[in-house]
Amino acid sequence: MKILNVVGTRPNFVKIAPIMAEIARHPDLRGTLVHTGQHFDDAMSDAFFRDLDIPPPDHDLGVGPGTHAEQVARTMLAFEPVLETERPDWVVVVGDVNATLAATLVAVKRGVPVAHVEAGLRSFDRNMPEEINRVLTDAAADLLLTPSADADENLRREGIPESRIHRVGNVMIDTLLRRLPEAADRPVLRKIGLTPREYAVVTLHRPSNVDVPETLGGLLAIFGRIAERLPVIFPAHPRTRARIAEAGLVVPPGVQLLPPLGYLDFLKLWSESRLVLTDSGGLQEETTALGVPCLTLRERTERPVTVTQGTNRVVGTDAGTILSAVAETLATERLPIRPPALWDGHTASRIVAVLKTPTSP
Ligand code: UD1
């Protein structure tokens, strides 16, 4: 059986690594990898292949940056001939990025079954480009592999038949648990001069937070206020760094802007921090898995289980709300870890088991 896996952006690499490794353990399976090239810098792409031992892509589509229409259209045009050459039994797509949707559309229209890993998540905010990608990918894909019960419920509500829904757990946590011992040895805290549990980590890249100068400037000012209490370490996505420069914004004292970090250095950094402030979806899940307090700088989350069971609080972008949540977090002892069901490091083996089941659509 031939399984063609598609990735395009940084979070996709973290999800595909354990799936590729699991496929390689099965002599009756052959995995191929297509990188659409949506993320292309060494720090955003190659560093993750190295850290996570992902084999080099069999096909690199090189789509690069652009508007959503350009990225999706270029990916579709470049992916179609690859699909024709490879003729896989399954196409596996992960997450909610433009690569996910583009590959799904091409494959289903050519009659190749698609499995969507991380299906069923919904923010119910159609202003997020990812929400459109999620809804459309799930509507088209044949097999919907979900991380949590809320995702199953969202899919049922959209009229998707039970036979297409399989709960497998969270594949990002496979990578996290596997790489934690290696990350523990990274000297990144020493290099920056940080003491474990005595600093905060920030990440920010959502268009709604970084593309409007007033919003971005407001958030930087809030990080400055937090930095009066503890150092704030901010590895910045290229989009965010570009927006800070374009808007002529000044990074406040105590906030340390870093280039994007590789997976292992970043895991070491956030896992040893006192708290994380982020608009990333993956980091809400990862902090939940390790019990690190997380404040989500968005109005809503497509990952509610990180709030009901995990360490996440959705605080939006209002200064008063964020600063009081920070104060509360700093004054509170950490709660014991209660990871959601099936966030156990074995999701990739469940995914491959479903793909090998002859009754799968
Ligand atoms: C994309 C995903 C988002 C995901 C994020 C993870 C979509 C719709 N968005 O957003 O869901 O959370 O990836 O990081 O697919 N850039 C570089 N080098 C790179 C990558 C990007 O310089 O390696 C710059 C480009 O100038 C680009 C900008 O960052 O224009 C934004 O990149 P893009 O891939 O368009 O979207 P992300 O914000 O990364």
Side-chain angles (χ1 to χ4, degrees):
M1 182 185 278
K2 205 164 162 184
I3 302 174
L4 191 156
N5 304 276
V6 181
V7 290
T9 70
R10 185 167 62 172
N12 293 168
F13 310 137
V14 182
K15 293 165 196 169
I16 219 66
I19 298 174
M20 292 293 291
E22 179 65 24
I23 291 171
R25 274 192 280 276
H26 292 249
D28 53 336
L29 299 181
R30 194 159 92 71
T32 46
L33 185 62
V34 174
H35 187 344
T36 69
Q38 181 174 342
H39 285 179
F40 46 86
D41 284 348
D42 185 80
M44 298 293 285
S45 180
D46 300 4
F48 283 73
F49 279 73
R50 291 192 296 271
D51 272 5
L52 302 177
D53 300 314
I54 306 170
D58 302 281
H59 303 273
D60 197 334
L61 308 184
V63 302
T67 66
H68 287 257
E70 287 167 342
Q71 281 185 342
V72 172
R74 278 194 224 127
T75 305
M76 289 181 72
L77 288 172
F79 184 56
E80 189 162 45
V82 170
L83 201 60
E84 185 56 35
T85 314
E86 292 287 348
R87 298 186 170 273
D89 299 288
W90 279 106
V91 167
V92 172
V93 296
V94 294
D96 55 16
V97 302
N98 289 337
T100 315
L101 174 63
T104 300
L105 287 177
V106 173
V108 294
K109 291 213 168 189
R110 293 197 73 98
V112 181
V114 173
H116 180 207
V117 174
E118 203 185 87
L121 299 185
R122 296 289 180 270
S123 65
F124 304 102
D125 175 4
R126 294 259 176 145
N127 291 317
M128 283 182 81
E130 294 81 5
E131 183 74 352
I132 308 294
N133 291 342
R134 294 181 196 117
V135 170
L136 297 181
T137 300
D138 287 341
D142 301 271
L143 183 59
L144 302 176
L145 299 163
T146 65
S148 48
D150 56 283
D152 301 358
E153 200 44 51
N154 291 334
L155 294 173
R156 286 188 200 111
R157 208 178 313 110
E158 289 171 20
I160 290 176
E162 209 64 42
S163 59
R164 282 168 59 199
I165 306 171
H166 289 260
R167 181 142 25 116
V168 291
N170 190 327
V171 79
M172 251 192 166
I173 307 306
D174 286 23
T175 300
L176 174 62
L177 298 179
R178 161 129 196 251
R179 299 294 170 176
L180 208 46
E182 264 168 276
D185 296 335
R186 305 294 278 207
V188 59
L189 302 198
R190 198 159 16 94
K191 277 192 193 157
I192 308 177
L194 297 168
T195 309
R197 306 267 176 125
E198 290 185 13
Y199 61 93
V201 170
V202 166
T203 81
L204 210 60
H205 74 283
R206 297 276 161 208
S208 59
N209 279 338
V210 305
D211 285 1
V212 179
E214 291 71 34
T215 311
L216 181 55
L219 285 166
L220 285 176
I222 295 168
F223 303 152
R225 296 279 304 279
I226 299 169
E228 291 166 9
R229 300 196 57 178
L230 76 178
V232 173
I233 312 303
F234 185 178
H237 187 290
R239 172 190 204 107
T240 309
R241 189 176 279 271
R243 297 293 182 267
I244 291 173
E246 283 159 23
L249 296 168
V250 176
V251 177
V255 178
Q256 200 173 333
L257 214 58
L258 299 179
L261 298 178
Y263 183 81
L264 295 171
D265 281 345
F266 187 57
L267 172 53
K268 171 75 177 179
L269 182 71
W270 70 257
S271 65
E272 301 267 2
S273 72
R274 184 71 184 83
L275 86 154
V276 168
L277 297 105
T278 190
D279 60 9
S280 149
L283 202 44
Q284 294 171 48
E285 299 179 328
E286 292 169 322
T287 47
T288 278
L290 295 191
V292 175
C294 176
L295 302 180
T296 292
L297 306 172
R298 286 166 45 189
E299 300 305 326
R300 51 185 84 204
T301 181
E302 62 286 336
R303 290 155 160 100
V305 74
T306 61
V307 176
T308 53
Q309 256 182 274
T311 49
N312 187 20
R313 285 176 64 179
V314 179
V315 293
T317 54
D318 172 70
T321 313
I322 295 171
L323 292 172
S324 63
V326 169
E328 232 173 87
T329 306
L330 295 182
T332 314
E333 286 296 312
R334 275 195 192 180
L335 296 170
I337 303 171
R338 288 189 309 149
L342 305 181
W343 293 28
D344 58 358
H346 302 293
T347 291
S349 66
R350 286 188 286 270
I351 290 171
V352 169
V354 179
L355 294 176
K356 285 178 79 169
T357 306
T359 51
S360 294

